[in-house]
Amino acid sequence: MLRSASMPRMLATVLLALAIGYAVLLVLVYVFQSRLVYFPDVGRGVATTPAAYGLPFETHEIETEDGERLHAWWVPVRDARGTALVFHGNAGNISHRIGYLQMFHRLGYASLIVDYRGYGQSTGRPSEDGTYRDAEAAWRWLVARGVAPTDVVLVGESLGGAVAAWLAARVTPRALVLLSTFTSVPDLGAEVYPFLPVHLLSRFSYDTLGALRRVEAPVLVAHSRDDEVVPYRHGLALFAAAREPKRFLEMHGGHNEGVLYTREAWVAELGAFLERTVR
């Protein structure tokens, strides 16, 4: 009798311990979730510059409305066909994305790439609202330089796609290009952590899908079927939500291998799409 009576107590103790452990996990995820979204310390420091690849460039410091200073590179092109404003993903910094600058230079487009606050040599700490402020500051810098809004192509890689879509819903760019981008952080988080109530816990939105529904500019969505970080279905959902004119480009390779500038055929597709968006 004593043994049988102790079993329910043991089970209750185990269940209580599991419940407490799960509750602690939820609290930790809620408090420290920014560390699951931003990885500015990956490859900390400027690894190289566009000069190492034969690109003419200028280093600029762009000030945001709330006083942060963003490290940026401007790569000019004589008689440019347009200007690409590039927003990178959640890890590393602009020195890891020189391939995009090379690609746009070959296509005849000037380009501006900016490190978010807290990334690379930019001041501050990253946050969702902060990345949006950074995007607005980069846009204002281009316009103040004399670049026509209808000449600017907004380009976003992964997290940067959410930032670019947010900006495109509020300004009048020539086009929007989304590369390996998710529909929203809660959507992606729920897939990565199915054992957690991510939609209830998430303090981040990055609602690319919602922003895209308000974008009036032409949209190109490029995504790989092999993407192990942001599943292919996210790209399909974004494409379905975009207004016409739009184009979907299927890539191949993992999230960090299936990169647009690595295949000349994909670059040619992008170039042809951008030429069709000339106003």
Side-chain angles (χ1 to χ4, degrees):
M1 293 293 293
L2 290 175
R3 290 177 61 187
S4 62
S6 67
M7 290 299 292
R9 287 197 297 271
M10 289 177 60
L11 180 60
T13 300
V14 170
L15 291 176
L16 178 61
L18 290 174
I20 292 173
Y22 186 69
V24 170
L25 175 63
L26 295 183
V27 171
L28 290 174
V29 169
Y30 183 80
V31 173
F32 296 106
Q33 62 187 264
S34 64
R35 298 186 183 182
L36 302 175
V37 175
Y38 305 115
F39 299 94
D41 293 327
V42 173
R44 173 63 84 177
V46 175
T48 186
T49 72
Y53 296 84
L55 294 176
F57 83 105
E58 303 168 3
T59 297
H60 290 276
E61 192 175 80
I62 297 175
E63 188 168 351
T64 67
E65 284 190 331
D66 57 340
E68 300 298 349
R69 296 181 303 279
L70 310 179
H71 181 229
W73 285 337
W74 166 250
V75 178
V77 171
R78 188 171 184 176
D79 299 323
R81 294 175 175 171
T83 297
L85 174 52
V86 182
F87 298 107
H88 64 73
N90 69 335
N93 58 63
I94 58 176
S95 70
H96 305 125
R97 272 74 179 197
I98 294 177
Y100 289 115
L101 306 181
Q102 290 179 291
M103 176 182 71
F104 283 112
H105 193 266
R106 292 200 309 271
L107 289 173
Y109 287 76
S111 55
L112 175 69
I113 189 167
V114 180
D115 260 330
Y116 311 116
R117 60 189 64 201
Y119 280 75
Q121 296 179 1
S122 296
T123 64
R125 296 178 61 183
S127 67
E128 181 170 1
D129 182 64
T131 56
Y132 296 152
R133 289 174 181 265
D134 299 343
E136 288 181 316
W139 174 269
R140 287 195 303 270
W141 186 90
L142 280 176
V143 173
R145 194 181 179 91
V147 177
T150 51
D151 283 339
V152 179
V153 177
L154 299 180
V155 183
E157 166 202 72
S158 195
L159 176 78
V163 175
W166 181 92
L167 182 61
R170 289 161 174 78
V171 297
T172 54
R174 172 170 156 185
L176 171 66
V177 177
L178 301 178
L179 310 173
S180 308
T181 301
F182 49 75
T183 55
S184 74
V185 161
D187 288 348
L188 183 60
E191 296 179 12
V192 176
Y193 307 105
F195 52 91
L196 295 176
V198 172
H199 283 87
L200 295 177
L201 287 175
S202 183
R203 293 187 286 113
F204 295 88
S205 177
Y206 283 115
D207 185 7
T208 316
L209 194 66
L212 192 54
R213 293 191 177 108
R214 302 191 300 275
V215 173
E216 297 182 357
V219 176
L220 183 143
V221 177
H223 215 109
S224 171
R225 282 187 179 274
D226 311 315
D227 195 321
E228 78 288 4
V229 176
V230 182
Y232 186 64
R233 56 184 168 272
H234 284 253
L236 294 178
L238 293 175
F239 180 71
R243 303 180 185 183
E244 295 285 357
K246 58 184 177 179
R247 175 82 173 88
F248 189 87
L249 172 59
E250 181 180 332
M251 300 189 295
H252 303 283
H255 189 72
N256 295 314
E257 291 80 40
V259 182
L260 186 67
Y261 59 75
T262 61
R263 301 279 186 91
E264 283 305 316
W266 300 343
V267 175
E269 285 264 12
L270 172 64
F273 169 79
L274 293 180
E275 288 308 297
R276 291 194 295 270
T277 65
V278 176
R279 301 183 188 180

